[in-house]
Amino acid sequence: MKSLRTTRAGIAPLAAALAFGLVVLGGCASTPAPVEQMAVAEAAVARANTTGTSENSAVELKVATNKLASAREAMASKDYDVARRLAEQAELDAEVAALQSQAARSRQAAQESRDASRALSEEISRKSVR
């Protein structure tokens, strides 16, 4: 009988240690910090943050900047799932802002080319009438 009590007494600490180990491992298996995604989002917002984008896509750029700030707050709170999602959204919003700004500049350049072409055609017409 004595050996059964000794065995049980030896198993209890072992079981407690095993349970603690599982809890610790479970904590390690949680979502890792999205450090890479945060860096990508930071770079995308920085790239999009130009004078042209500020003029042509201010709202979209502001949305991207706000989402990046929220992602930083989520990182600080160790809410990594939220931080990753917001960082991904900030990256995409920054790309949208940059592309919209580029499209606006392209439309402006196209209009300037049409205006120059029209002015040149008018000048040629005037010279050929003489």
Side-chain angles (χ1 to χ4, degrees):
M1 231 13 172
K2 195 171 189 181
S3 66
L4 184 59
R5 283 187 187 162
T6 307
T7 306
R8 283 187 185 165
I11 291 177
L14 182 60
L18 182 60
F20 178 75
L22 290 175
V23 169
V24 170
L25 287 176
C28 293
S30 66
T31 305
V35 176
E36 184 177 325
Q37 184 60 46
M38 288 295 293
V40 170
E42 295 270 359
V45 171
R47 249 188 337 269
N49 195 8
T50 64
T51 303
T53 306
S54 297
E55 292 171 1
N56 298 319
S57 302
V59 173
E60 293 81 4
L61 184 58
K62 184 69 174 166
V63 168
T65 303
N66 288 344
K67 284 184 182 175
L68 183 58
S70 295
R72 287 183 191 127
E73 290 173 10
M75 280 286 283
S77 300
K78 298 190 186 309
D79 194 350
Y80 298 142
D81 288 329
V82 172
R84 181 181 313 283
R85 181 177 45 81
L86 287 169
E88 289 170 353
Q89 290 175 3
E91 176 190 1
L92 293 174
D93 290 337
E95 289 176 10
V96 166
L99 290 172
Q100 285 184 342
S101 179
Q102 182 181 7
R105 288 191 307 270
S106 295
R107 283 191 298 274
Q108 182 179 359
Q111 184 60 47
E112 289 172 0
S113 292
R114 285 191 294 273
D115 292 346
S117 176
R118 189 175 320 116
L120 185 57
S121 293
E122 290 171 2
E123 183 68 27
I124 290 172
S125 294
R126 275 185 267 176
K127 286 189 177 185
S128 61
V129 171
R130 288 185 182 175

